[in-house]
Amino acid sequence: MPYELYYWPTIQGRGEFVRLALEEAGADYIDVARESEGLAVMMRMMDHVKHPPFAPPFLKDGETIIGQSAAILLYLGARHGLAPKDPAGGLWTHQIQLTIADFVTEAHDTHHPVGVGLYYEDQKAEALRRAEEFRDDRIPKFLNWFETILARNPAGDAHLVGRTLTYVDLSLFQIVQGLTYAFPKATKRALKDAPRVASLHTAVARRPRIAAYCDSPRRIPFNEEGIFRRYPELDR
């Protein structure tokens, strides 16, 4: 049976990290909420399953339901050769993904620093302040950490973990894609000091399945409803 991915149908968001892993693995999956009546199906699932996820994304594999992007990737990585087989390597990969989740949250909070239930225009002054710190301090700090991991990888600096692609390489690709959309000026500056990160991003973009996916209708364009939003006043 195909995997069933449940996530909002109009944004990349946190579900995109899972989509990239499924696409790279060549896995058979259904993006349920993008199907006819799929959004209603997703909401019913959240209302009635025994262990309800807090929010999308969540993945259904037979009778197993997994919520949270990092947990879904931990599950998929072990099943599709996108994570090390040894426990220590698997734990290290999961740790990197959890740090990526922190980075994603900080990117989101640049445009919603006060509350997720408010419009951007209702918190624009606070967003300007939050974005300044994110541009000047947080983007360089996170990218430098990934650069350090690449440089210290005993198997070479082509991947974050080991000598072959893992799901965290895909996730770092998505982070760079999102930052380049939302903060093109700041990201271009930061990548000058993180050449290994930039090279990894380019290498992932050229992988046949990822390139085909990104050129297909399955890849939802970035927009101002998702995590990475382009507000020119926030990027300098």
Side-chain angles (χ1 to χ4, degrees):
M1 294 178 63
Y3 293 111
E4 295 177 10
L5 173 63
Y6 293 83
Y7 195 63
W8 307 112
T10 60
I11 60 173
Q12 291 185 16
R14 291 173 174 83
E16 195 66 11
F17 297 94
V18 181
R19 292 186 186 112
L20 287 168
L22 290 167
E23 292 284 343
E24 173 60 30
D28 189 12
Y29 75 99
I30 301 169
D31 208 336
V32 175
R34 299 178 72 181
E35 301 284 308
S36 177
E37 304 299 321
L39 192 57
V41 172
M42 182 174 80
M43 301 313 292
R44 285 198 298 271
M45 283 278 291
M46 294 180 67
D47 287 340
H48 297 295
V49 297
K50 181 180 179 181
H51 298 139
F54 179 73
F58 56 96
L59 186 80
K60 186 174 185 292
D61 180 18
E63 297 301 313
T64 301
I65 297 175
I66 312 104
Q68 294 286 353
S69 298
I72 298 169
L73 292 170
L74 180 67
Y75 183 83
L76 292 175
R79 283 157 180 76
H80 293 282
L82 291 174
K85 293 182 179 180
D86 65 288
L91 185 60
W92 171 229
T93 307
H94 186 51
Q95 179 183 327
I96 296 171
Q97 187 64 43
L98 290 173
T99 305
I100 287 172
D102 291 341
F103 199 2
V104 169
T105 297
E106 292 199 23
H108 170 272
D109 289 351
T110 59
H111 51 78
H112 276 73
V114 177
V116 296
L118 301 174
Y119 290 109
Y120 166 67
E121 290 74 17
D122 296 328
Q123 48 197 314
K124 190 171 180 179
E126 294 86 353
L128 288 167
R129 292 186 62 194
R130 185 64 176 264
E132 181 180 10
E133 182 193 18
F134 184 71
R135 289 192 318 264
D136 296 345
D137 298 328
R138 304 303 288 171
I139 292 177
K141 184 170 184 175
F142 275 104
L143 293 187
N144 180 68
W145 187 70
F146 295 121
E147 184 76 8
T148 299
I149 292 173
L150 288 165
R152 294 182 186 177
N153 182 358
D157 64 1
H159 300 288
L160 287 165
V161 181
R163 63 181 69 257
T164 59
L165 183 96
T166 63
Y167 62 80
V168 288
D169 295 324
L170 298 169
S171 293
L172 183 55
F173 162 80
Q174 175 64 9
I175 283 279
V176 174
Q177 288 283 100
L179 291 175
T180 300
Y181 174 79
F183 297 94
K185 295 177 183 177
T187 303
K188 184 178 181 180
R189 290 195 302 269
L191 285 174
K192 289 180 180 178
D193 295 324
R196 293 178 179 86
V197 173
S199 294
L200 174 58
H201 170 263
T202 299
V204 171
R206 290 174 177 168
R207 294 183 70 85
R209 287 175 176 167
I210 297 301
Y213 168 63
C214 289
D215 287 339
S216 78
R218 298 191 304 280
R219 173 79 159 177
I220 300 168
F222 287 107
N223 57 55
E224 277 54 69
E225 296 178 5
I227 291 169
F228 299 102
R229 305 187 187 187
R230 180 176 290 171
Y231 295 120
E233 64 271 20
L234 300 185
D235 183 37
R236 298 177 183 175

